Amino acid sequence: MLIAKIYVTLKPDVLDAPGTTVKSALETLGFEGLADVRIGKFIVLTLNSLTKEEAAARVEEMCRRLLANPVIEDYRVEVEGAAG
Amino acid sequence: MLIAKIYVTLKPDVLDAPGTTVKSALETLGFEGLADVRIGKFIVLTLNSLTKEEAAARVEEMCRRLLANPVIEDYRVEVEGAAG
């Protein structure tokens, strides 16, 4: 089994409405010193019978076709574990 | 500035409906070999004027009070960068 971890985040210049909301909620709870809050997706895929290279290529394609919106999001992929 | 990265994920025994939906969508697109898909939140906080220890403690409290639901979610915190 291989584990692929995908971090999908809004591009830096895109307004992060959920992040802004969470920031004000945290401040309302009394937390100070918050300069910024950005919220993204953390996706963990468990993959069968692939080499690390095959898995990395396949996950990249999954990101391009479905998991990340290329207009407003960036993504980063990490593949872990040995095929088994 | 300090950067705190928070990974909020559903506990392993909790059904991940969005993950299940994404898994079937990926399979519909022709991607094979997917054993599981789990989707969580990736939150990046930028913090002012704190030591790493103060930041870690404060972020832990933010997770307990707002950012993670202790009943169904686990969270992991990483604090990076030097105060300043």
Side-chain angles (χ1 to χ4, degrees), chain B residues 27-78:
Chain B
E27 286 162 345
T28 304
L29 287 173
F31 291 105
E32 292 164 1
L34 268 169
D36 194 26
V37 176
R38 306 284 294 178
I39 299 180
K41 287 174 280 195
F42 174 49
I43 303 170
V44 180
L45 304 180
T46 308
L47 298 154
N48 291 323
S49 64
L50 289 172
T51 65
K52 261 189 160 179
E53 292 68 29
E54 286 166 342
R58 187 167 297 183
V59 172
E60 280 284 329
E61 194 189 346
M62 289 178 193
C63 291
R64 279 196 308 274
R65 292 181 63 190
L66 183 73
L67 302 178
N69 176 344
V71 176
I72 59 168
E73 291 175 329
D74 292 320
Y75 65 87
R76 181 166 57 87
V77 177
E78 292 170 6

Side-chain angles (χ1 to χ4, degrees), chain A residues 1 7 9 22 25-26 29 31-48 58 61-62 65-67, chain B residues 1 7 9 22 25-26 29 31-48 58 61-62 65-67:
Chain A
M1 289 280 189
Y7 307 86
T9 51
V22 167
L26 287 169
L29 286 173
F31 291 105
E32 292 162 1
L34 268 169
D36 194 26
V37 176
R38 306 284 293 179
I39 299 180
K41 288 175 283 196
F42 172 51
I43 304 171
V44 179
L45 303 180
T46 308
L47 298 155
N48 291 324
R58 187 168 298 185
E61 194 189 345
M62 289 179 193
R65 293 181 63 189
L66 183 72
L67 301 178
Chain B
M1 291 277 189
Y7 306 86
T9 51
V22 166
L26 288 168
L29 287 173
F31 291 105
E32 292 164 1
L34 268 169
D36 194 26
V37 176
R38 306 284 294 178
I39 299 180
K41 287 174 280 195
F42 174 49
I43 303 170
V44 180
L45 304 180
T46 308
L47 298 154
N48 291 323
R58 187 167 297 183
E61 194 189 346
M62 289 178 193
R65 292 181 63 190
L66 183 73
L67 302 178

Side-chain angles (χ1 to χ4, degrees), chain A residues 43-64:
Chain A
I43 304 171
V44 179
L45 303 180
T46 308
L47 298 155
N48 291 324
S49 63
L50 291 171
T51 65
K52 261 189 159 180
E53 292 68 30
E54 287 166 342
R58 187 168 298 185
V59 172
E60 280 284 330
E61 194 189 345
M62 289 179 193
C63 291
R64 280 196 308 273

